[in-house]
Amino acid sequence: MMEMNIWLGQLTTITMIALALGFDAFSLGVGIGLKGIRYLHIMKLGIIIGLFHMIMPIGGMLMGKMMSVVLGEWASFAAGLLLIILGVHMVINSFKSEEAVLLNHRTFWGVLLLAFSVSVDSFSVGITLGMFHLPLWVTVLLFGCCGAIMAMLGLTVGKRVGHTLGEYGETLGGIILVVFGVYFIV
């Protein structure tokens, strides 16, 4: 019973982190959606972003496992600190008033660059998660699904609504990362 509670706690933590990382894709999706996008492109971008949200944390987790050997008992503190730094960075970026230059999401390289840009945080969080002993396949699937769903949702919302919601989405995602970072440290 105790192992089941631990597993459910880890699953909840992974899900919340995956959703927090998905807010980057959501906010970018809102911005792109405001410019107008077809539903076929929404599906394509969502799937590619989801794949990047799966690939990037795997690389990060592998790096994190190597770092946990080096850091030893400090691994948990380092992981929490990294999550806090990433979260604060996301919150600060959400308040920047400068207009980001959007790439052409209709080109191959534009799609890859967009997917990569919203998945870089997944690599960093993957490093953090690699310092813990969490099920890799569950983590990767949740990151991928949340990234894809949040991207598609953001693109659809952006197509229909205003830019303000996307800014709040990135702020919320950063706050969630900070909370989990504090949780790992304490």
Side-chain angles (χ1 to χ4, degrees):
M1 182 66 172
M2 183 66 129
E3 286 186 30
M4 180 63 144
N5 288 338
I6 291 172
W7 194 84
L8 286 174
Q10 289 179 348
L11 181 65
T12 302
T13 301
I14 293 169
T15 303
M16 295 300 291
I17 291 172
L19 286 171
L21 291 172
F23 275 112
D24 258 355
F26 177 83
S27 60
L28 181 68
V30 170
I32 292 172
L34 285 171
K35 305 261 186 214
I37 188 170
R38 294 179 161 183
Y39 287 110
L40 179 63
H41 288 126
I42 290 174
M43 292 292 293
K44 181 175 77 171
L45 271 175
I47 289 169
I48 292 171
I49 288 171
L51 288 173
F52 269 77
H53 268 75
M54 292 170 73
I55 293 167
M56 297 296 278
I58 290 173
M61 289 175 83
L62 294 173
M63 176 98 53
K65 289 202 185 290
M66 288 187 286
M67 287 177 64
S68 70
V69 171
V70 173
L71 294 175
E73 62 188 51
W74 288 93
S76 180
F77 178 79
L81 187 61
L82 183 58
L83 280 177
I84 291 169
I85 291 168
L86 289 170
V88 168
H89 178 71
M90 281 176 68
V91 170
I92 290 170
N93 280 341
S94 71
F95 289 110
K96 287 186 177 177
S97 61
E98 60 202 35
E99 183 66 29
V101 178
L102 295 176
L103 299 168
N104 185 353
H105 60 84
R106 292 178 182 93
T107 67
F108 174 76
W109 293 109
V111 168
L112 289 182
L113 286 173
L114 286 172
F116 179 77
S117 69
V118 297
S119 302
V120 169
D121 289 345
S122 295
F123 178 83
S124 302
V125 172
I127 290 174
T128 303
L129 294 173
M131 294 180 195
F132 298 96
H133 303 290
L134 302 170
L136 177 65
W137 67 271
V138 172
T139 303
V140 169
L141 285 176
L142 279 171
F143 278 27
C145 289
C146 286
I149 290 169
M150 295 295 285
M152 288 182 210
L153 184 62
L155 289 162
T156 303
V157 166
K159 183 177 172 101
R160 297 177 185 249
V161 206
H163 185 66
T164 312
L165 187 59
E167 293 172 5
Y168 290 127
E170 187 173 2
T171 303
L172 180 60
I175 290 169
I176 290 171
L177 287 180
V178 169
V179 168
F180 277 104
V182 170
Y183 174 75
F184 285 148
I185 288 176
V186 177

mmCIF file of all heavy atoms in Angstrom, residues 76-95:
data_model
loop_
_atom_site.group_PDB
_atom_site.id
_atom_site.type_symbol
_atom_site.label_atom_id
_atom_site.label_comp_id
_atom_site.label_asym_id
_atom_site.label_seq_id
_atom_site.Cartn_x
_atom_site.Cartn_y
_atom_site.Cartn_z
ATOM 1 N N SER A 76 19.073 15.925 -4.700
ATOM 2 C CA SER A 76 17.716 16.405 -4.468
ATOM 3 C C SER A 76 17.696 17.928 -4.337
ATOM 4 O O SER A 76 16.827 18.603 -4.898
ATOM 5 C CB SER A 76 17.148 15.758 -3.211
ATOM 6 O OG SER A 76 15.842 16.209 -2.977
ATOM 7 N N PHE A 77 18.657 18.485 -3.621
ATOM 8 C CA PHE A 77 18.745 19.938 -3.480
ATOM 9 C C PHE A 77 19.005 20.598 -4.832
ATOM 10 O O PHE A 77 18.377 21.590 -5.181
ATOM 11 C CB PHE A 77 19.856 20.304 -2.488
ATOM 12 C CG PHE A 77 20.032 21.786 -2.324
ATOM 13 C CD1 PHE A 77 19.163 22.510 -1.519
ATOM 14 C CD2 PHE A 77 21.043 22.463 -2.990
ATOM 15 C CE1 PHE A 77 19.315 23.884 -1.377
ATOM 16 C CE2 PHE A 77 21.197 23.828 -2.856
ATOM 17 C CZ PHE A 77 20.331 24.538 -2.040
ATOM 18 N N ALA A 78 19.942 20.028 -5.593
ATOM 19 C CA ALA A 78 20.276 20.585 -6.913
ATOM 20 C C ALA A 78 19.071 20.519 -7.842
ATOM 21 O O ALA A 78 18.806 21.459 -8.601
ATOM 22 C CB ALA A 78 21.459 19.840 -7.516
ATOM 23 N N ALA A 79 18.326 19.416 -7.789
ATOM 24 C CA ALA A 79 17.142 19.268 -8.640
ATOM 25 C C ALA A 79 16.099 20.317 -8.293
ATOM 26 O O ALA A 79 15.512 20.953 -9.176
ATOM 27 C CB ALA A 79 16.567 17.866 -8.478
ATOM 28 N N GLY A 80 15.840 20.509 -7.000
ATOM 29 C CA GLY A 80 14.873 21.517 -6.577
ATOM 30 C C GLY A 80 15.296 22.914 -6.969
ATOM 31 O O GLY A 80 14.487 23.718 -7.447
ATOM 32 N N LEU A 81 16.571 23.206 -6.786
ATOM 33 C CA LEU A 81 17.090 24.519 -7.153
ATOM 34 C C LEU A 81 16.945 24.776 -8.654
ATOM 35 O O LEU A 81 16.557 25.871 -9.083
ATOM 36 C CB LEU A 81 18.561 24.634 -6.728
ATOM 37 C CG LEU A 81 19.206 26.005 -6.884
ATOM 38 C CD1 LEU A 81 18.485 27.042 -6.021
ATOM 39 C CD2 LEU A 81 20.675 25.932 -6.495
ATOM 40 N N LEU A 82 17.229 23.763 -9.465
ATOM 41 C CA LEU A 82 17.080 23.901 -10.911
ATOM 42 C C LEU A 82 15.626 24.171 -11.296
ATOM 43 O O LEU A 82 15.346 25.026 -12.139
ATOM 44 C CB LEU A 82 17.601 22.650 -11.623
ATOM 45 C CG LEU A 82 17.574 22.669 -13.146
ATOM 46 C CD1 LEU A 82 18.388 23.835 -13.689
ATOM 47 C CD2 LEU A 82 18.105 21.361 -13.697
ATOM 48 N N LEU A 83 14.675 23.480 -10.671
ATOM 49 C CA LEU A 83 13.257 23.725 -10.957
ATOM 50 C C LEU A 83 12.862 25.157 -10.573
ATOM 51 O O LEU A 83 12.115 25.813 -11.298
ATOM 52 C CB LEU A 83 12.378 22.723 -10.202
ATOM 53 C CG LEU A 83 12.246 21.341 -10.817
ATOM 54 C CD1 LEU A 83 11.402 20.449 -9.920
ATOM 55 C CD2 LEU A 83 11.631 21.408 -12.203
ATOM 56 N N ILE A 84 13.364 25.623 -9.437
ATOM 57 C CA ILE A 84 13.049 26.992 -9.010
ATOM 58 C C ILE A 84 13.589 27.998 -10.019
ATOM 59 O O ILE A 84 12.896 28.936 -10.417
ATOM 60 C CB ILE A 84 13.615 27.271 -7.599
ATOM 61 C CG1 ILE A 84 12.837 26.456 -6.561
ATOM 62 C CG2 ILE A 84 13.554 28.757 -7.264
ATOM 63 C CD1 ILE A 84 13.461 26.450 -5.172
ATOM 64 N N ILE A 85 14.827 27.807 -10.450
ATOM 65 C CA ILE A 85 15.435 28.725 -11.428
ATOM 66 C C ILE A 85 14.631 28.729 -12.729
ATOM 67 O O ILE A 85 14.344 29.789 -13.289
ATOM 68 C CB ILE A 85 16.909 28.348 -11.676
ATOM 69 C CG1 ILE A 85 17.741 28.660 -10.421
ATOM 70 C CG2 ILE A 85 17.476 29.090 -12.884
ATOM 71 C CD1 ILE A 85 19.144 28.079 -10.442
ATOM 72 N N LEU A 86 14.253 27.528 -13.213
ATOM 73 C CA LEU A 86 13.463 27.451 -14.443
ATOM 74 C C LEU A 86 12.110 28.131 -14.279
ATOM 75 O O LEU A 86 11.643 28.848 -15.163
ATOM 76 C CB LEU A 86 13.260 25.992 -14.855
ATOM 77 C CG LEU A 86 14.480 25.264 -15.376
ATOM 78 C CD1 LEU A 86 14.188 23.770 -15.500
ATOM 79 C CD2 LEU A 86 14.899 25.823 -16.714
ATOM 80 N N GLY A 87 11.475 27.913 -13.134
ATOM 81 C CA GLY A 87 10.170 28.519 -12.884
ATOM 82 C C GLY A 87 10.238 30.031 -12.829
ATOM 83 O O GLY A 87 9.412 30.728 -13.431
ATOM 84 N N VAL A 88 11.229 30.546 -12.121
ATOM 85 C CA VAL A 88 11.397 32.001 -12.037
ATOM 86 C C VAL A 88 11.673 32.579 -13.424
ATOM 87 O O VAL A 88 11.133 33.633 -13.790
ATOM 88 C CB VAL A 88 12.529 32.365 -11.037
ATOM 89 C CG1 VAL A 88 12.915 33.825 -11.143
ATOM 90 C CG2 VAL A 88 12.097 32.018 -9.613
ATOM 91 N N HIS A 89 12.497 31.882 -14.202
ATOM 92 C CA HIS A 89 12.787 32.327 -15.569
ATOM 93 C C HIS A 89 11.503 32.395 -16.411
ATOM 94 O O HIS A 89 11.288 33.369 -17.149
ATOM 95 C CB HIS A 89 13.807 31.383 -16.207
ATOM 96 C CG HIS A 89 14.144 31.722 -17.621
ATOM 97 N ND1 HIS A 89 14.892 32.827 -17.961
ATOM 98 C CD2 HIS A 89 13.815 31.109 -18.788
ATOM 99 C CE1 HIS A 89 15.013 32.880 -19.274
ATOM 100 N NE2 HIS A 89 14.370 31.852 -19.796
ATOM 101 N N MET A 90 10.637 31.375 -16.286
ATOM 102 C CA MET A 90 9.377 31.374 -17.037
ATOM 103 C C MET A 90 8.495 32.548 -16.608
ATOM 104 O O MET A 90 7.884 33.214 -17.448
ATOM 105 C CB MET A 90 8.624 30.053 -16.835
ATOM 106 C CG MET A 90 9.152 28.903 -17.653
ATOM 107 S SD MET A 90 8.295 27.341 -17.303
ATOM 108 C CE MET A 90 6.659 27.694 -17.958
ATOM 109 N N VAL A 91 8.414 32.806 -15.298
ATOM 110 C CA VAL A 91 7.577 33.901 -14.803
ATOM 111 C C VAL A 91 8.110 35.240 -15.311
ATOM 112 O O VAL A 91 7.347 36.079 -15.791
ATOM 113 C CB VAL A 91 7.498 33.881 -13.261
ATOM 114 C CG1 VAL A 91 6.841 35.142 -12.730
ATOM 115 C CG2 VAL A 91 6.741 32.647 -12.782
ATOM 116 N N ILE A 92 9.417 35.447 -15.213
ATOM 117 C CA ILE A 92 10.014 36.705 -15.678
ATOM 118 C C ILE A 92 9.760 36.904 -17.171
ATOM 119 O O ILE A 92 9.382 37.991 -17.609
ATOM 120 C CB ILE A 92 11.523 36.744 -15.361
ATOM 121 C CG1 ILE A 92 11.737 36.878 -13.858
ATOM 122 C CG2 ILE A 92 12.216 37.883 -16.111
ATOM 123 C CD1 ILE A 92 13.170 36.695 -13.407
ATOM 124 N N ASN A 93 9.946 35.843 -17.969
ATOM 125 C CA ASN A 93 9.706 35.952 -19.418
ATOM 126 C C ASN A 93 8.252 36.254 -19.735
ATOM 127 O O ASN A 93 7.962 36.892 -20.745
ATOM 128 C CB ASN A 93 10.135 34.673 -20.133
ATOM 129 C CG ASN A 93 11.626 34.619 -20.347
ATOM 130 O OD1 ASN A 93 12.311 35.624 -20.290
ATOM 131 N ND2 ASN A 93 12.129 33.423 -20.588
ATOM 132 N N SER A 94 7.334 35.812 -18.891
ATOM 133 C CA SER A 94 5.920 36.067 -19.174
ATOM 134 C C SER A 94 5.560 37.542 -19.019
ATOM 135 O O SER A 94 4.566 37.989 -19.566
ATOM 136 C CB SER A 94 5.039 35.205 -18.268
ATOM 137 O OG SER A 94 5.084 35.664 -16.930
ATOM 138 N N PHE A 95 6.384 38.296 -18.274
ATOM 139 C CA PHE A 95 6.106 39.711 -18.055
ATOM 140 C C PHE A 95 6.858 40.627 -19.005
ATOM 141 O O PHE A 95 6.676 41.835 -18.969
ATOM 142 C CB PHE A 95 6.420 40.112 -16.607
ATOM 143 C CG PHE A 95 5.433 39.547 -15.634
ATOM 144 C CD1 PHE A 95 5.812 38.538 -14.764
ATOM 145 C CD2 PHE A 95 4.129 40.008 -15.591
ATOM 146 C CE1 PHE A 95 4.908 38.005 -13.865
ATOM 147 C CE2 PHE A 95 3.215 39.484 -14.691
ATOM 148 C CZ PHE A 95 3.607 38.480 -13.829
#
